[in-house]
Amino acid sequence: MAELEIRDLGRQFKSGGGVRGVSLSVEAGELFVLVGPSGCGKSTLLRLIAGLDYPERGEIRVGGRNCGDRRDLIAMVFQNHALYPHMSAFDNIAFPLRLRRTPKAEIQRRVADAAALAALQIDLARRPAELSGGERQRVALARALIREPRVILMDEPLSSLDAQLRGRLRVELKDFQRRTGRTIIYVTHDQLEALTLGDRIAVMRAGAIEQIGTPTEVYQRPANLFVATFIGQPPMNILRCRIRPAKASAAPPEQSVPAEPALEIGEKLALAMPFGMSGEVLLGIRPEDLTYNPNPDAVAFEAGFNRVEFVGGGFLAYATVAGQEITALLDQPVEPGRTRWLYAPRRSLHFFDSATHRRAG
Amino acid sequence: MRSTFTLWLFAGVPTLFIVALLLAPAAQGVVLSFDRGGPSIANYAAVLRDRLFWRAAAGNLIVPAGSLLVEFAIALALALTLNARNGRIAAVADVASILPFAIPEIVLLALARYIFMPRGYLNGALYAAGAAAIPWLVPGSLWSYATVIVVDAWHVTPVVMLIMVAGLQTIPPELYEAARLDGAGTLATFRYVTLPMLAPAMLAALVLRGIDALRIFSTTLVLTGIEGVPVISTYAYHLWTDAQEPRMAMAASIILAFVIVITALAGLIALRRRAVLTPL
Amino acid sequence: MKAEAQITAALPRSTAARWIGPARLAVESIAVLGAAIPIYLLIKQAITPDLESFAWPPHWLPRNVTSANLKSVFELAELRSALILSVAVAAVAGLIATALGTMLGYAMARRERMRQAGMAGVTAARLLPMIAVALPLTVVLIQVGLYDSPTGMGLALIHAALAIPTAALTTYGVFAAIAREQEEAAFLDGASPLRIFVAIAVPQAKTAIAASLVLSFIMSWDEFGFALLIQVTHRTMPPLLYYYTVFGDVGPASALALVMLVPALAVIIALRPVLKSGLIAGTQR
């Protein structure tokens, strides 16, 4: 049985926004990431799960129970951690227990346990203002842990930190989850964070879930054009193409995937299109899948290079293929103004229906 | 998070308190002012026939206008000066400039009486300088109006000044530097940078203080008594205490309240609904 | 910085610029004299015998110093009871205004509609001239037995109502600045709305609440009009000072005024930063 089960959840705001018809289930011990651009409804969904807002329809079950007040089952770590600035770290962590009139000795013991689990090694008499960003996060984690919730919700806890600290805390969070075995639902707008952190991720747009899957599934088999372009940086190239109906297989010079303004493809049509679609399609190619190396199993593009940026690990080239802009992440620089052939392995190509934008094949 | 009930309680109790103690009596005042053994406008008619009322109405126009003029001029000068200064002089002037407001109004007025009375400190100073004494507080004289205006302005100038300092501090320093590099002199900078940028704060102060100025009561009462420089508040007080005409007194005070509400509405519209509330 | 200084120096100084120095000095002198003269004269009159205050030409410096006036404030029954009554009225008014004003400020900070309604109500309450409220209020207070009450509680209530807007606006800004998320965290931690207010919001607004308390205390302490109309025989200090001044007891009047002055000065000077930030918040929304 799923730890958290959401069925057909709906909540609309007058200003637009909200979530509509969201269903998902999260298993115990899973780190589940909700990712999407700002305004996609991911924070609304999290607030609905937390009980900070109330759905207009649908239901939320935690541990199989559908109860109105889930505050005993759920803890939340907020964007800026929302520590109480006028309380010491100890009092911050102990606050939920104090509200429940827990005996002093037990508070002492449980705060110590929670601090240890959160790897918090500071003088707990200090106030949040005297703590570093990382220490604050650990206090927030300890405060979330102390009530022994079934699910911990995290609303972009890293987004206000600088890049370096973020990277470190991401590792720490993953460790934390492994160590404590907690079920975590994590909201972020950062697709990289989603990929690196999540056991599974749900990509959201306009109040609805576009795809749920493991990071590799979502990255390698995006369910639609939105997911394809949202996940991955630099974003996936999309080329408008026309597929001609398959001719007789014995037509070697025939071009296999000719784009609207014709694209050179070094392959047979029948092999490239096993799903037998034709007409307008959208072809997706990740910039990192493009190379200079001809490969027997690759499609070739003749690219006119406009601009090249050195991005540390390689060169990000901006090129035009048959009048359409693409980017390619290459290991060698290329002179702007030149034309060269780029190759992409056939299995790395993504096809999307030009009308529904859904994945085709 | 459902805290709406608590918040309504938090907003409702203080609001009820204010309504019960301030607004409800005022509303009852309206009712009583139309009562003379039955609904009647006799109270208003009696007030409007009274020559003292018209003197009070004139006073209620002259004194606030004069006071606003004086306090705005001094407050502007003070604000500009304090805003430009740093260091010890500024610190002293800063504290000093707020003190008159910190002095309880009645204390300042009591002192003003000692200063402006015929054998008071001011005439004493004139005497020491060999000049003739001036009848500062002779009832109904131009001097008495001037004195009342100066004393009233004296007390509230700090509030106007603080609002202006607040306004000045919102002007980005780059603007001054840019104006200077553009070749603007001191006067041009003031005319084209400071004044337009300060205008919203001044307008806010004008509405705020204008309303207060119309409510003038203590200054004229303490310095000149009721008939010296009559204003509507003291006139109503006179009807209430000396003349034993409570219904007329209420009619007079309702007329004043009405004038103030109209003025305030006009002012708020002029501010395009910008809030003009300050803690004081 | 250096380049900037050179640019400035290179620009011609206008004639107006040359007058700025003396003009500033003049303005500052007015400010200092406007504050120093009344305070000095008050102290001088309070510590010299009556006769000296009526001397002609006036004495500019005290000649005979006496503590009789100041002592009289605490010894003469009339003065002492006015002092006690003033303290009691101001304390009760300050406490009520701070409690209710803090609540109102919190509600205004948490709900936009309450903020608008609160601002409108507070404005309306502030528009009314004292006399238009005081006269009918007197009728009401007579009915409920709080008119001219020896405990001054009728006056305390009206002073509290007058000071609620001040307390609400002073605390409002601080409450508005508390991150919403903190209160949501507390809610999820299991706190009730009231508990959130008491344990999360109020401790962070301590300074502003304390400022409201002293400010509303002093507003009541200073208030003259309602006190004059409501406490007609059981007088607080302001109306008593009025009668003493008008009917001529210079010494005790000055001593009384001095006793009134000291806490008022202390509070306003100490609260200058609060007043300034409040004025900024009030004029720039």
Side-chain angles (χ1 to χ4, degrees):
Chain A
M1 185 185 54
E3 188 73 352
L4 174 77
E5 181 92 45
I6 291 173
R7 248 180 255 144
D8 195 32
L9 204 63
R11 171 81 168 97
Q12 293 290 316
F13 294 116
K14 281 185 201 120
S15 53
V19 296
R20 43 194 178 84
V22 166
S23 299
L24 58 84
S25 69
V26 178
E27 300 301 319
E30 196 175 22
L31 202 169
F32 190 88
V33 177
L34 294 170
V35 65
S38 63
C40 71
K42 55 189 190 301
S43 288
T44 306
L45 180 54
L46 200 72
R47 292 171 61 83
L48 287 170
I49 299 172
L52 290 171
D53 195 359
Y54 302 86
E56 285 149 359
R57 63 194 168 87
E59 61 171 14
I60 300 168
R61 286 169 175 276
V62 180
R65 279 187 291 158
N66 179 11
C67 43
D69 192 346
R70 287 180 293 280
R71 289 190 282 172
D72 280 335
L73 306 173
I74 274 171
M76 185 154 166
V77 176
F78 288 84
Q79 186 161 11
N80 296 309
H81 300 134
L83 298 178
Y84 312 126
H86 57 294
M87 296 184 193
S88 68
F90 184 94
D91 291 335
N92 262 281
I93 301 170
F95 187 67
L97 299 185
R98 296 238 161 92
L99 289 174
R100 288 166 179 72
R101 304 184 187 288
T102 315
K104 258 206 172 130
E106 194 189 337
I107 291 181
Q108 286 284 351
R109 183 176 55 74
R110 284 175 64 183
V111 169
D113 289 351
L117 265 178
L120 187 61
Q121 290 152 333
I122 56 159
D123 174 8
L124 291 179
R126 284 156 73 193
R127 297 242 176 133
E130 304 161 340
L131 302 177
S132 72
E135 288 163 346
R136 274 182 224 166
Q137 158 151 321
R138 277 169 248 154
V139 173
L141 289 177
R143 184 175 71 183
L145 271 180
I146 192 107
R147 298 196 271 118
E148 298 174 350
R150 303 194 60 153
V151 179
I152 299 180
L153 309 177
M154 301 194 180
D155 187 9
E156 309 219 17
L158 303 182
S159 68
S160 59
L161 305 171
D162 66 70
Q164 217 180 353
L165 186 60
R166 245 167 117 158
R168 230 184 56 218
L169 293 185
R170 210 142 60 195
V171 176
E172 229 177 71
L173 259 179
K174 194 78 190 170
D175 273 359
F176 168 83
Q177 187 229 356
R178 251 180 238 130
R179 211 168 45 239
T180 59
R182 296 283 161 182
T183 311
I184 295 176
I185 299 179
Y186 188 102
V187 159
T188 180
H189 65 272
D190 181 344
Q191 52 90 26
L192 183 64
E193 201 161 281
L195 291 176
T196 52
L197 216 47
D199 293 326
R200 281 195 305 150
I201 66 185
V203 183
M204 290 187 68
R205 179 178 61 156
I209 291 181
E210 299 279 311
Q211 185 175 7
I212 300 181
T214 64
T216 43
E217 276 166 15
V218 170
Y219 185 81
Q220 289 169 354
R221 288 186 60 83
N224 56 41
L225 194 67
F226 172 76
V227 176
T229 50
F230 183 76
I231 300 287
Q233 185 65 34
M236 183 187 279
N237 298 301
I238 302 296
L239 294 167
R240 272 179 289 108
C241 303
R242 176 176 292 280
I243 299 172
R244 293 189 193 145
K247 289 192 175 175
S249 57
E254 189 58 59
Q255 295 171 341
S256 59
V257 188
E260 176 85 272
L263 282 173
E264 284 272 346
I265 309 286
E267 240 192 346
K268 292 206 168 36
L269 180 75
L271 287 174
M273 296 295 138
F275 44 84
M277 61 185 290
S278 65
E280 286 276 333
V281 305
L282 297 168
L283 167 63
I285 310 166
R286 294 207 180 273
E288 57 270 36
D289 288 333
L290 289 163
T291 65
Y292 297 127
N293 306 330
N295 176 318
D297 190 28
V299 256
F301 303 89
E302 191 176 26
F305 288 88
N306 306 320
R307 198 153 54 86
V308 178
E309 288 167 0
F310 178 56
V311 291
F315 297 86
L316 186 61
Y318 296 80
T320 312
V321 170
Q324 302 183 52
E325 304 286 325
I326 65 158
T327 55
L329 196 58
L330 302 167
D331 53 359
Q332 297 282 322
V334 63
E335 245 175 72
R338 277 196 55 184
T339 302
R340 285 190 67 170
W341 287 87
L342 290 175
Y343 302 89
R346 193 165 50 82
R347 57 180 164 70
S348 74
L349 300 183
H350 307 264
F351 292 96
F352 302 98
D353 187 289
S354 64
T356 64
H357 291 186
R358 286 217 195 90
R359 184 176 192 86
Chain B
M1 212 167 103
R2 281 181 180 158
S3 47
T4 309
F5 173 74
T6 312
L7 289 177
W8 276 117
L9 200 70
F10 275 25
V13 172
T15 307
L16 274 180
F17 194 83
I18 291 177
V19 168
L21 280 147
L22 297 180
L23 301 182
Q28 204 193 348
V30 175
V31 175
L32 291 176
S33 71
F34 281 107
D35 178 88
R36 200 151 193 116
S40 152
I41 56 163
N43 300 313
Y44 287 92
V47 165
L48 294 177
R49 273 198 306 272
D50 190 347
R51 285 195 49 206
L52 186 54
F53 169 77
W54 291 104
R55 276 187 63 210
N60 223 123
L61 202 65
I62 297 165
V63 175
S67 174
L68 285 174
L69 207 66
V70 172
E71 72 204 42
F72 268 69
I74 298 176
L76 182 61
L78 267 175
L80 289 171
T81 305
L82 291 180
N83 199 43
R85 288 269 188 174
N86 296 307
R88 209 169 294 164
I89 298 180
V92 172
D94 192 22
V95 173
S97 60
I98 200 178
L99 281 187
F101 177 69
I103 300 173
E105 190 183 23
I106 187 68
V107 171
L108 191 74
L109 294 176
L111 259 162
R113 256 183 94 100
Y114 296 126
I115 291 173
F116 289 102
M117 65 188 188
R119 292 196 151 197
Y121 293 102
L122 195 53
N123 278 340
L126 289 175
Y127 175 84
I134 292 173
W136 300 105
L137 293 173
V138 166
S141 68
L142 277 182
W143 279 116
S144 66
Y145 278 86
T147 308
V148 165
I149 285 170
V150 166
V151 172
D152 192 52
W154 189 5
H155 187 228
V156 293
T157 297
V159 177
V160 182
M161 179 208 69
L162 282 179
I163 294 175
M164 287 190 190
V165 167
L168 282 174
Q169 280 166 355
T170 63
I171 304 177
E174 300 88 58
L175 277 187
Y176 290 112
E177 283 162 22
R180 198 183 272 171
L181 290 173
D182 287 342
T186 309
L187 283 178
T189 309
F190 177 73
R191 166 73 184 76
Y192 293 107
V193 178
T194 313
L195 215 50
M197 295 293 286
L198 195 56
M202 287 178 68
L203 197 60
L206 186 66
V207 174
L208 193 71
R209 272 298 309 146
I211 293 167
D212 272 0
L214 288 174
R215 302 197 293 191
I216 184 165
F217 171 74
S218 329
T219 313
T220 55
L221 180 69
V222 177
L223 286 184
T224 66
I226 286 150
E227 304 221 2
V229 175
V231 290
I232 298 179
S233 287
T234 52
Y235 170 70
Y237 177 68
H238 159 77
L239 291 176
W240 179 263
T241 51
D242 309 330
Q244 297 286 323
E245 280 287 356
R247 300 292 147 94
M248 267 177 79
M250 283 179 194
S253 66
I254 295 303
I255 292 173
L256 177 63
F258 186 71
V259 169
I260 290 176
V261 168
I262 297 295
T263 313
L265 283 179
L268 289 174
I269 289 167
L271 284 174
R272 290 216 190 84
R273 302 175 70 216
R274 279 164 49 99
V276 287
L277 289 166
T278 62
L280 296 170
Chain C
M1 279 309 280
K2 207 174 172 192
E4 206 173 287
Q6 278 167 357
I7 291 168
T8 313
L11 289 166
R13 283 169 69 79
S14 64
T15 28
R18 248 174 282 139
W19 284 98
I20 279 187
R24 275 189 190 151
L25 213 58
V27 169
E28 280 156 0
S29 309
I30 291 177
V32 172
L33 290 178
I37 287 176
I39 295 172
Y40 168 73
L41 291 178
L42 188 61
I43 296 172
K44 193 212 108 190
Q45 291 189 162
I47 59 170
T48 51
D50 270 15
L51 276 178
E52 205 165 304
S53 296
F54 282 125
W56 183 259
H59 295 176
W60 300 104
L61 295 169
R63 296 191 187 165
N64 301 304
V65 174
T66 169
S67 61
N69 296 326
L70 280 167
K71 270 189 193 149
S72 70
V73 175
F74 302 94
E75 284 167 0
L76 280 180
E78 192 177 26
L79 290 175
R80 193 179 56 218
S81 58
L83 175 62
I84 293 169
L85 193 59
S86 267
V87 171
V89 167
V92 171
L95 286 173
I96 295 177
T98 305
L100 294 182
T102 303
M103 286 160 62
L104 183 58
Y106 182 73
M108 283 167 63
R110 284 293 165 260
R111 289 282 191 280
E112 174 59 22
R113 271 192 23 223
M114 292 188 194
R115 189 185 73 77
Q116 289 168 353
M119 289 286 183
V122 161
T123 313
R126 235 183 229 195
L127 289 182
L128 296 172
M130 176 279 292
I131 199 87
V133 176
L135 301 186
L137 185 70
T138 305
V139 179
V140 179
L141 289 179
I142 291 170
Q143 285 163 1
V144 298
L146 284 174
Y147 175 71
D148 198 19
S149 126
T151 58
M153 285 309 108
L155 185 63
L157 288 178
I158 185 75
H159 281 174
L162 290 174
I164 285 175
T166 300
L169 293 173
T170 309
T171 51
Y172 160 76
V174 184
F175 286 135
I178 295 176
R180 222 19 196 283
E181 294 182 337
Q182 276 178 37
E183 300 196 345
E184 292 177 345
F187 169 79
L188 292 179
D189 282 346
S192 64
L194 195 65
R195 186 66 183 254
I196 292 173
F197 175 69
V198 172
I200 305 297
V202 166
Q204 296 187 57
K206 266 190 294 197
T207 317
I209 293 172
S212 307
L213 185 62
V214 279
L215 215 55
S216 43
F217 180 94
I218 286 300
M219 283 173 74
S220 165
W221 179 261
D222 287 4
E223 204 278 333
F224 169 64
F226 282 101
L228 179 71
L229 277 149
I230 292 171
Q231 301 301 121
V232 288
T233 57
H234 302 282
R235 286 176 190 144
T236 56
M237 291 165 77
L240 191 66
L241 176 59
Y242 167 67
Y243 287 113
Y244 270 51
T245 309
V246 173
F247 300 111
D249 290 321
V250 186
S254 301
L256 191 66
L258 197 59
V259 171
M260 281 188 66
L261 176 68
V262 171
L265 277 193
V267 165
I268 299 289
I269 290 173
L271 288 184
R272 258 181 329 135
V274 178
L275 296 182
K276 276 186 188 174
S277 61
L279 286 167
I280 292 171
T283 50
Q284 287 164 9
R285 182 151 297 108

